[in-house]
Amino acid sequence: TQLLEQSPQFLSIQEGENLTVYCNSSSVFSSLQWYRQEPGEGPVLLVTVVTGGEVKKLKRLTFQFGDARKDSSLHITAAQPGDTGLYLCAARKDFGNEKLTFGTGTRLTIIP
Amino acid sequence: DAGVTQSPTHLIKTRGQQVTLRCSPKSGHDTVSWYQQALGQGPQFIFQYYEEEERQRGNFPDRFSGHQYPNYSSELNVNALLLGDSALYLCASKEQRNEQFFGPGTRLTVL
């Protein structure tokens, strides 16, 4: 069973600081996604990465897919209270495989 | 344009009972997936429906079953409820190879 492990599990930092969260596995994936989920809502897709080594930027968020397509990181610059939420990585093992496997999540709290 | 909607929002059942959760996909979407999210965990894939048939299934027992209607809406049925079935049940819809969108979920509590 493929497993996506996210670290840290919990992170609480001051507004304006930078942070990085990680998503790691021993399996190779065809694609990997990052979601943010807020209380009482479903996960919202932030980005999809497909190519090993790929880097995507979304305003203050930078996403990287590992060269071997087994891991990924999310870096947030100058964190803001609106960044607070549960960050989930999710991956598909094969192209065309509909099963999306989610990581354990990182709960991020930005303190004003 | 309404997104993915789910009903009910919250539900309380007792062990052994049966429950039906409902999902209306986003307009134009024909594929619906169901996920179980236990407290403090990431969502786990239950199954996916396309053209009214179960296309793929995760590691869930037969107590979990589903249905998709011609209008693409879907139901998740769980029989013989256990305490461990307490979770947020998420529905996600998509159109073919495009990315999926999640609904707000149904919070099920089994007492």
Side-chain angles (χ1 to χ4, degrees), chain A residues 33 37 42 97-98 100 102, chain B residues 37 48 56 94 99-100 103:
Chain A
Q33 299 176 325
Q37 184 177 22
N97 187 335
E98 295 296 327
L100 192 62
F102 278 84
Chain B
Q37 186 175 22
Q48 183 184 80
Q56 194 163 359
K94 70 173 191 173
E99 297 303 338
Q100 62 185 355

Side-chain angles (χ1 to χ4, degrees), chain A residues 12-75:
Chain A
S12 182
I13 64 171
Q14 293 290 137
E15 180 177 359
E17 294 185 350
N18 302 331
L19 67 107
T20 303
V21 298
Y22 300 92
C23 175
N24 295 294
S25 176
S26 57
S27 299
V28 177
F29 297 106
S30 61
S31 65
L32 189 142
Q33 299 176 325
W34 283 93
Y35 290 81
R36 182 170 67 213
Q37 184 177 22
E38 299 187 29
E41 299 181 8
V44 175
L45 180 65
L46 298 174
V47 76
T48 300
V49 286
V50 178
T51 305
E54 182 176 4
V55 176
K56 282 192 174 179
K57 291 192 174 184
L58 183 66
K59 297 184 180 179
R60 294 177 293 100
L61 278 59
T62 302
F63 305 85
Q64 184 162 9
F65 201 13
D67 291 340
R69 304 205 318 275
K70 293 182 178 181
D71 53 80
S72 181
S73 63
L74 159 59
H75 182 79

